[in-house]
Short mmCIF file of all heavy atoms in Angstrom, two decimals:
data_model
loop_
_atom_site.label_atom_id
_atom_site.label_comp_id
_atom_site.label_asym_id
_atom_site.label_seq_id
_atom_site.Cartn_x
_atom_site.Cartn_y
_atom_site.Cartn_z
N THR A 1492 -18.56 143.08 -4.74
CA THR A 1492 -17.17 142.95 -5.18
C THR A 1492 -16.77 143.98 -6.32
O THR A 1492 -15.63 144.24 -6.67
CB THR A 1492 -16.89 141.55 -5.73
OG1 THR A 1492 -17.52 141.39 -7.00
CG2 THR A 1492 -17.22 140.43 -4.75
N LEU A 1493 -17.90 144.72 -6.64
CA LEU A 1493 -17.64 145.70 -7.72
C LEU A 1493 -17.17 147.08 -7.17
O LEU A 1493 -17.59 147.42 -6.03
CB LEU A 1493 -18.88 145.87 -8.63
CG LEU A 1493 -19.46 144.67 -9.27
CD1 LEU A 1493 -20.69 144.93 -10.08
CD2 LEU A 1493 -18.43 144.02 -10.30
N SER A 1494 -16.62 148.00 -8.06
CA SER A 1494 -16.30 149.33 -7.61
C SER A 1494 -17.38 150.34 -7.93
O SER A 1494 -17.06 151.48 -7.79
CB SER A 1494 -15.01 149.64 -8.33
OG SER A 1494 -15.13 149.51 -9.71
N TYR A 1495 -18.51 149.80 -8.43
CA TYR A 1495 -19.62 150.72 -8.72
C TYR A 1495 -20.94 150.12 -8.26
O TYR A 1495 -20.97 148.89 -8.14
CB TYR A 1495 -19.58 151.18 -10.22
CG TYR A 1495 -19.93 149.96 -11.06
CD1 TYR A 1495 -21.22 149.88 -11.54
CD2 TYR A 1495 -19.10 149.11 -11.46
CE1 TYR A 1495 -21.61 148.89 -12.41
CE2 TYR A 1495 -19.32 148.07 -12.28
CZ TYR A 1495 -20.67 147.94 -12.71
OH TYR A 1495 -20.95 146.89 -13.63
N THR A 1496 -21.98 150.83 -8.19
CA THR A 1496 -23.24 150.43 -7.86
C THR A 1496 -24.07 150.46 -9.19
O THR A 1496 -24.18 151.64 -9.64
CB THR A 1496 -23.96 151.11 -6.76
OG1 THR A 1496 -23.20 151.03 -5.55
CG2 THR A 1496 -25.46 150.55 -6.48
N PRO A 1497 -24.53 149.43 -9.69
CA PRO A 1497 -25.33 149.57 -10.96
C PRO A 1497 -26.66 150.15 -10.84
O PRO A 1497 -27.27 150.07 -9.67
CB PRO A 1497 -25.41 148.14 -11.44
CG PRO A 1497 -25.44 147.32 -10.12
CD PRO A 1497 -24.54 148.10 -9.26
N PRO A 1498 -27.21 150.83 -11.95
CA PRO A 1498 -28.58 151.16 -11.76
C PRO A 1498 -29.61 150.09 -11.68
O PRO A 1498 -29.20 148.92 -11.93
CB PRO A 1498 -28.69 152.03 -13.06
CG PRO A 1498 -27.63 151.57 -13.91
CD PRO A 1498 -26.59 150.97 -13.14
N GLN A 1499 -30.74 150.34 -11.31
CA GLN A 1499 -31.88 149.36 -11.09
C GLN A 1499 -31.94 148.36 -12.37
O GLN A 1499 -31.99 147.23 -12.23
CB GLN A 1499 -33.17 150.01 -10.81
CG GLN A 1499 -34.24 148.92 -10.52
CD GLN A 1499 -34.13 148.26 -9.20
OE1 GLN A 1499 -33.81 148.80 -8.22
NE2 GLN A 1499 -34.23 146.92 -9.30
N HIS A 1500 -31.88 149.04 -13.54
CA HIS A 1500 -32.13 148.08 -14.71
C HIS A 1500 -31.05 147.09 -15.00
O HIS A 1500 -31.22 145.95 -15.47
CB HIS A 1500 -32.47 148.89 -15.97
CG HIS A 1500 -31.30 149.99 -16.36
ND1 HIS A 1500 -30.33 149.58 -17.25
CD2 HIS A 1500 -31.10 151.17 -15.96
CE1 HIS A 1500 -29.64 150.60 -17.36
NE2 HIS A 1500 -29.95 151.64 -16.68
N GLU A 1501 -29.78 147.53 -14.59
CA GLU A 1501 -28.67 146.60 -14.70
C GLU A 1501 -28.85 145.44 -13.70
O GLU A 1501 -28.58 144.22 -14.09
CB GLU A 1501 -27.27 147.25 -14.62
CG GLU A 1501 -26.83 148.11 -15.74
CD GLU A 1501 -25.63 148.80 -15.60
OE1 GLU A 1501 -24.75 148.34 -14.73
OE2 GLU A 1501 -25.27 149.66 -16.36
N PHE A 1502 -29.14 145.79 -12.51
CA PHE A 1502 -29.34 144.71 -11.47
C PHE A 1502 -30.59 143.82 -11.89
O PHE A 1502 -30.44 142.52 -11.82
CB PHE A 1502 -29.69 145.35 -10.21
CG PHE A 1502 -30.24 144.56 -9.05
CD1 PHE A 1502 -29.28 143.84 -8.37
CD2 PHE A 1502 -31.56 144.34 -8.80
CE1 PHE A 1502 -29.60 142.91 -7.34
CE2 PHE A 1502 -31.85 143.50 -7.75
CZ PHE A 1502 -30.93 142.71 -7.11
N ASP A 1503 -31.63 144.44 -12.34
CA ASP A 1503 -32.77 143.62 -12.81
C ASP A 1503 -32.34 142.57 -13.89
O ASP A 1503 -32.69 141.44 -13.89
CB ASP A 1503 -33.91 144.41 -13.34
CG ASP A 1503 -34.75 145.06 -12.17
OD1 ASP A 1503 -34.49 144.67 -11.03
OD2 ASP A 1503 -35.54 145.95 -12.55
N ALA A 1504 -31.67 143.06 -14.92
CA ALA A 1504 -31.18 142.22 -15.95
C ALA A 1504 -30.24 141.06 -15.47
O ALA A 1504 -30.40 139.89 -15.83
CB ALA A 1504 -30.46 142.96 -17.12
N MET A 1505 -29.45 141.31 -14.58
CA MET A 1505 -28.52 140.37 -13.92
C MET A 1505 -29.39 139.28 -13.07
O MET A 1505 -29.08 138.16 -13.35
CB MET A 1505 -27.54 141.00 -13.06
CG MET A 1505 -26.37 141.67 -13.80
SD MET A 1505 -25.06 142.20 -12.74
CE MET A 1505 -25.55 143.87 -12.27
N VAL A 1506 -30.33 139.82 -12.45
CA VAL A 1506 -31.18 138.81 -11.65
C VAL A 1506 -31.99 137.89 -12.60
O VAL A 1506 -32.04 136.71 -12.46
CB VAL A 1506 -32.24 139.56 -10.74
CG1 VAL A 1506 -33.26 138.76 -10.25
CG2 VAL A 1506 -31.38 140.32 -9.66
N SER A 1507 -32.54 138.61 -13.72
CA SER A 1507 -33.21 137.65 -14.82
C SER A 1507 -32.39 136.63 -15.28
O SER A 1507 -32.66 135.44 -15.45
CB SER A 1507 -33.87 138.56 -15.85
OG SER A 1507 -34.43 137.80 -16.80
N ALA A 1508 -31.12 137.01 -15.68
CA ALA A 1508 -30.28 136.05 -16.22
C ALA A 1508 -29.86 135.00 -15.28
O ALA A 1508 -29.84 133.80 -15.61
CB ALA A 1508 -29.02 136.72 -16.82
N ARG A 1509 -29.58 135.32 -14.07
CA ARG A 1509 -29.23 134.44 -13.01
C ARG A 1509 -30.46 133.46 -12.79
O ARG A 1509 -30.24 132.29 -12.64
CB ARG A 1509 -28.89 135.02 -11.63
CG ARG A 1509 -28.47 134.19 -10.51
CD ARG A 1509 -27.10 133.60 -10.88
NE ARG A 1509 -26.88 132.38 -10.01
CZ ARG A 1509 -25.84 131.88 -9.72
NH1 ARG A 1509 -24.70 132.36 -10.18
NH2 ARG A 1509 -25.75 130.75 -9.01
N TYR A 1510 -31.64 133.96 -12.57
CA TYR A 1510 -32.82 133.20 -12.53
C TYR A 1510 -32.84 132.17 -13.63
O TYR A 1510 -33.45 130.95 -13.40
CB TYR A 1510 -34.11 134.03 -12.57
CG TYR A 1510 -35.34 133.56 -12.32
CD1 TYR A 1510 -35.98 133.51 -11.05
CD2 TYR A 1510 -36.19 132.84 -13.30
CE1 TYR A 1510 -37.33 133.06 -10.84
CE2 TYR A 1510 -37.36 132.28 -13.14
CZ TYR A 1510 -37.96 132.39 -11.94
OH TYR A 1510 -39.16 131.81 -11.61
N ASN A 1511 -32.63 132.54 -14.79
CA ASN A 1511 -32.71 131.61 -15.94
C ASN A 1511 -31.42 130.80 -16.19
O ASN A 1511 -31.36 130.13 -17.23
CB ASN A 1511 -33.06 132.52 -17.29
CG ASN A 1511 -33.46 131.60 -18.35
OD1 ASN A 1511 -32.90 131.72 -19.46
ND2 ASN A 1511 -34.51 130.85 -18.18
N GLY A 1512 -30.53 130.79 -15.28
CA GLY A 1512 -29.49 129.73 -15.32
C GLY A 1512 -28.11 130.34 -15.70
O GLY A 1512 -27.07 129.54 -15.73
N ILE A 1513 -27.92 131.57 -15.94
CA ILE A 1513 -26.66 132.08 -16.24
C ILE A 1513 -25.91 132.34 -14.87
O ILE A 1513 -26.38 133.00 -14.07
CB ILE A 1513 -26.58 133.42 -17.02
CG1 ILE A 1513 -27.33 133.13 -18.42
CG2 ILE A 1513 -25.14 133.98 -17.25
CD1 ILE A 1513 -27.38 134.39 -19.16
N PRO A 1514 -24.73 131.74 -14.74
CA PRO A 1514 -24.01 131.80 -13.41
C PRO A 1514 -23.35 133.13 -13.16
O PRO A 1514 -22.20 133.19 -12.68
CB PRO A 1514 -23.15 130.61 -13.41
CG PRO A 1514 -22.72 130.55 -14.84
CD PRO A 1514 -24.01 130.90 -15.59
N ILE A 1515 -24.05 134.29 -13.27
CA ILE A 1515 -23.49 135.51 -12.92
C ILE A 1515 -23.10 135.54 -11.45
O ILE A 1515 -23.99 135.20 -10.71
CB ILE A 1515 -24.41 136.70 -13.29
CG1 ILE A 1515 -24.65 136.82 -14.82
CG2 ILE A 1515 -23.79 137.98 -12.80
CD1 ILE A 1515 -25.73 137.83 -15.25
N GLY A 1516 -21.93 135.93 -11.17
CA GLY A 1516 -21.45 135.87 -9.78
C GLY A 1516 -20.43 134.80 -9.51
O GLY A 1516 -19.55 135.04 -8.67
N SER A 1517 -20.46 133.83 -10.48
CA SER A 1517 -19.41 132.88 -10.38
C SER A 1517 -18.08 133.31 -11.01
O SER A 1517 -18.16 133.90 -12.05
CB SER A 1517 -19.91 131.60 -11.18
OG SER A 1517 -18.77 130.65 -11.39
N SER A 1518 -16.93 133.11 -10.32
CA SER A 1518 -15.74 133.54 -10.93
C SER A 1518 -15.32 132.98 -12.24
O SER A 1518 -14.47 133.47 -12.96
CB SER A 1518 -14.60 133.41 -9.89
OG SER A 1518 -14.44 131.93 -9.64
N LYS A 1519 -15.98 131.69 -12.64
CA LYS A 1519 -15.64 131.09 -13.84
C LYS A 1519 -16.37 131.55 -14.92
O LYS A 1519 -16.27 131.04 -16.11
CB LYS A 1519 -15.70 129.64 -13.59
CG LYS A 1519 -14.87 129.00 -12.54
CD LYS A 1519 -15.02 127.60 -12.30
CE LYS A 1519 -14.07 127.05 -11.22
NZ LYS A 1519 -14.28 125.56 -10.96
N CYS A 1520 -17.40 132.40 -14.68
CA CYS A 1520 -18.31 132.85 -15.89
C CYS A 1520 -17.70 133.97 -16.50
O CYS A 1520 -17.37 135.11 -15.79
CB CYS A 1520 -19.67 133.28 -15.12
SG CYS A 1520 -20.88 133.94 -16.40
N SER A 1521 -17.57 133.93 -17.76
CA SER A 1521 -17.09 135.11 -18.51
C SER A 1521 -17.92 136.33 -18.42
O SER A 1521 -17.33 137.49 -18.39
CB SER A 1521 -16.70 134.63 -20.00
OG SER A 1521 -17.92 134.28 -20.59
N LEU A 1522 -19.18 136.14 -18.35
CA LEU A 1522 -20.07 137.29 -18.21
C LEU A 1522 -19.83 137.99 -16.90
O LEU A 1522 -19.79 139.17 -16.82
CB LEU A 1522 -21.54 136.86 -18.34
CG LEU A 1522 -22.59 137.95 -18.25
CD1 LEU A 1522 -22.30 139.15 -19.17
CD2 LEU A 1522 -24.00 137.43 -18.48
N THR A 1523 -19.56 137.25 -15.81
CA THR A 1523 -19.16 137.78 -14.50
C THR A 1523 -17.94 138.91 -14.59
O THR A 1523 -18.02 139.92 -14.22
CB THR A 1523 -18.88 136.86 -13.45
OG1 THR A 1523 -20.09 135.96 -13.29
CG2 THR A 1523 -18.51 137.35 -12.17
N GLN A 1524 -17.03 138.32 -15.38
CA GLN A 1524 -15.81 139.09 -15.61
C GLN A 1524 -16.07 140.31 -16.33
O GLN A 1524 -15.48 141.39 -16.05
CB GLN A 1524 -14.61 138.26 -16.16
CG GLN A 1524 -14.29 136.96 -15.46
CD GLN A 1524 -13.99 137.25 -13.84
OE1 GLN A 1524 -13.35 138.25 -13.59
NE2 GLN A 1524 -14.45 136.35 -13.04
N ALA A 1525 -16.84 140.24 -17.41
CA ALA A 1525 -17.11 141.35 -18.21
C ALA A 1525 -17.85 142.49 -17.40
O ALA A 1525 -17.58 143.60 -17.61
CB ALA A 1525 -18.00 140.95 -19.49
N ILE A 1526 -18.86 142.01 -16.61
CA ILE A 1526 -19.51 142.99 -15.84
C ILE A 1526 -18.66 143.60 -14.82
O ILE A 1526 -18.72 144.87 -14.63
CB ILE A 1526 -20.64 142.30 -15.09
CG1 ILE A 1526 -21.79 141.90 -16.13
CG2 ILE A 1526 -21.38 143.18 -14.00
CD1 ILE A 1526 -22.92 140.94 -15.62
N ARG A 1527 -17.74 142.87 -14.20
CA ARG A 1527 -16.80 143.42 -13.25
C ARG A 1527 -15.95 144.52 -13.88
O ARG A 1527 -15.65 145.41 -13.24
CB ARG A 1527 -15.83 142.23 -12.74
CG ARG A 1527 -14.91 142.67 -11.54
CD ARG A 1527 -14.04 141.47 -11.23
NE ARG A 1527 -14.73 140.27 -10.83
CZ ARG A 1527 -15.44 140.06 -9.68
NH1 ARG A 1527 -15.56 141.09 -8.88
NH2 ARG A 1527 -16.07 138.98 -9.49
N LEU A 1528 -15.58 144.29 -15.15
CA LEU A 1528 -14.75 145.22 -15.85
C LEU A 1528 -15.60 146.39 -16.42
O LEU A 1528 -15.01 147.44 -17.00
CB LEU A 1528 -13.91 144.57 -17.02
CG LEU A 1528 -13.01 143.55 -16.57
CD1 LEU A 1528 -12.44 142.84 -17.78
CD2 LEU A 1528 -11.86 144.23 -15.74
N HIS A 1529 -16.94 146.30 -16.40
CA HIS A 1529 -17.87 147.26 -16.90
C HIS A 1529 -17.53 147.43 -18.40
O HIS A 1529 -17.53 148.53 -18.94
CB HIS A 1529 -17.85 148.51 -16.12
CG HIS A 1529 -19.11 149.21 -16.13
ND1 HIS A 1529 -20.26 148.77 -15.60
CD2 HIS A 1529 -19.35 150.54 -16.56
CE1 HIS A 1529 -21.24 149.56 -15.70
NE2 HIS A 1529 -20.68 150.66 -16.22
N ASP A 1530 -17.20 146.37 -19.10
CA ASP A 1530 -16.91 146.46 -20.58
C ASP A 1530 -18.20 146.04 -21.29
O ASP A 1530 -18.48 144.83 -21.62
CB ASP A 1530 -15.73 145.50 -20.77
CG ASP A 1530 -15.33 145.26 -22.17
OD1 ASP A 1530 -16.16 145.75 -23.10
OD2 ASP A 1530 -14.14 144.90 -22.50
N LEU A 1531 -18.81 147.03 -21.82
CA LEU A 1531 -20.25 146.82 -22.51
C LEU A 1531 -20.07 145.93 -23.73
O LEU A 1531 -20.95 144.99 -23.81
CB LEU A 1531 -20.82 148.12 -22.79
CG LEU A 1531 -22.27 148.06 -23.39
CD1 LEU A 1531 -23.11 147.39 -22.44
CD2 LEU A 1531 -22.81 149.42 -23.73
N HIS A 1532 -19.08 146.10 -24.54
CA HIS A 1532 -18.84 145.19 -25.76
C HIS A 1532 -18.68 143.78 -25.24
O HIS A 1532 -19.33 142.80 -25.85
CB HIS A 1532 -17.66 145.64 -26.41
CG HIS A 1532 -17.40 144.75 -27.64
ND1 HIS A 1532 -18.26 144.64 -28.78
CD2 HIS A 1532 -16.48 143.82 -27.83
CE1 HIS A 1532 -17.70 143.76 -29.57
NE2 HIS A 1532 -16.62 143.19 -29.04
N GLN A 1533 -17.91 143.52 -24.30
CA GLN A 1533 -17.71 142.06 -23.72
C GLN A 1533 -18.88 141.66 -23.05
O GLN A 1533 -19.27 140.47 -23.25
CB GLN A 1533 -16.50 142.07 -22.89
CG GLN A 1533 -15.92 140.72 -22.61
CD GLN A 1533 -15.32 140.04 -23.93
OE1 GLN A 1533 -15.02 140.68 -24.84
NE2 GLN A 1533 -15.21 138.74 -23.86
#
């Protein structure tokens, strides 16, 4: 759903967070929205 392909390390970090219970990928997750916008501060 993104307009870019992240580098390996960004993918890995997202997988680790998802593995540990952060619902990255869920439309209700604010982190999902921040990643979608590629807003590093957020």
Side-chain angles (χ1 to χ4, degrees):
T1492 71
L1493 300 181
S1494 59
Y1495 69 98
T1496 301
Q1499 183 69 47
H1500 60 92
E1501 287 182 16
F1502 174 80
D1503 283 350
M1505 287 187 270
V1506 169
S1507 177
R1509 182 72 200 203
Y1510 182 99
N1511 193 237
I1513 299 178
I1515 296 174
S1517 166
S1518 61
K1519 295 178 182 177
C1520 177
S1521 59
L1522 180 54
T1523 297
Q1524 301 311 319
I1526 292 169
R1527 186 181 308 286
L1528 296 172
H1529 211 60
D1530 180 338
L1531 188 56
H1532 174 72
Q1533 198 64 18

